[in-house]
Amino acid sequence: MRHFVLRIWLVCFLILVWVLLWGQVTAGNVASGLAVALVITVLLPMPSVPVEGKLHPLSLLKLIVVVGYYLALSSFQVAWMAIRPGPPPLVAVLRANLPALKSDLVLALAVNIFNVIPGTIVLEIDQARRILYMHVIDVGSESTVQRFYRQVDQIQRLLVAAFERESDWQPSAERGAGHA
């Protein structure tokens, strides 16, 4: 039943996107959107992503607030670096270990979070070892590097609290019970 409801939701979402792209709600746009949505979902289906944890709404809210704070703070920091006098900031590629993230879905969410925060961008993902290589702006001092690593650790803890608590974790059949 859940799979069917998700398929219907996807078709409706694709129809909505199609109508928004055309800019008018007409019977023709809705019908052509339905045709496009059915072609996409039937002929080009996405592989299912196993959901192995459980959502904790209060922890998710805390994650959203913290990420919002980092978005605002780093936006101001990057803007200040752009307009301040003096030499450009030092940049580096830093390795961030995320061993606590078990799910590929949550790892992908972590990558997206780091990519939207100004001043960082994920360059490479080592999926098997749960390592991200990130380009980071302003690594001119040991304190700014340590601040980056504290930010990574905090986001990792919040992601685990929101989606992958040990008490709720149920490995999917593809992953097997022996893998974490």
Side-chain angles (χ1 to χ4, degrees):
M1 181 65 180
R2 180 176 180 221
H3 180 72
F4 179 72
V5 171
L6 288 173
R7 286 285 182 173
I8 296 297
W9 163 247
L10 179 60
V11 168
C12 292
F13 177 74
L14 291 172
I15 292 170
L16 174 67
V17 169
W18 184 262
V19 169
L20 289 174
L21 286 172
W22 284 102
Q24 293 180 4
V25 180
T26 64
N29 284 344
V30 172
S32 61
L34 176 62
V36 169
L38 290 175
V39 165
I40 289 172
T41 57
V42 173
L43 298 179
L44 306 168
M46 297 290 292
S48 63
V49 177
V51 177
E52 300 164 315
K54 182 179 174 187
L55 175 66
H56 296 272
L58 291 177
S59 297
L60 178 61
L61 180 62
K62 184 175 180 182
L63 173 68
I64 291 169
V65 168
V66 168
V67 169
Y69 168 75
Y70 283 139
L71 284 169
L73 177 65
S74 41
S75 293
F76 287 117
Q77 290 171 338
V78 170
W80 172 245
M81 284 185 269
I83 62 171
R84 74 175 179 182
L90 291 175
V91 299
V93 175
L94 300 178
R95 179 178 61 207
N97 296 311
L98 301 170
L101 300 183
K102 301 174 206 157
S103 165
D104 290 341
L105 183 63
V106 176
L107 180 63
L109 180 59
V111 169
N112 284 308
I113 288 171
F114 291 122
N115 279 339
V116 299
I117 294 175
T120 61
I121 189 154
V122 176
L123 301 174
E124 186 176 337
I125 304 166
D126 184 341
Q127 183 180 0
R129 296 187 305 163
R130 298 298 199 236
I131 296 174
L132 304 179
Y133 294 93
M134 290 191 260
H135 182 270
V136 182
I137 295 176
D138 191 21
V139 292
S141 69
E142 184 64 28
S143 65
T144 57
V145 172
Q146 290 307 314
R147 184 177 59 214
F148 165 75
Y149 284 119
R150 282 192 306 272
Q151 178 181 334
V152 168
D153 288 340
Q154 183 182 26
I155 290 175
Q156 177 181 219
R157 283 192 314 273
L158 290 171
L159 284 166
V160 169
F163 301 107
E164 295 185 334
R165 292 184 185 175
E166 195 64 43
S167 59
D168 300 327
W169 185 254
Q170 297 175 349
S172 67
E174 297 91 31
R175 184 179 294 268
H179 297 300

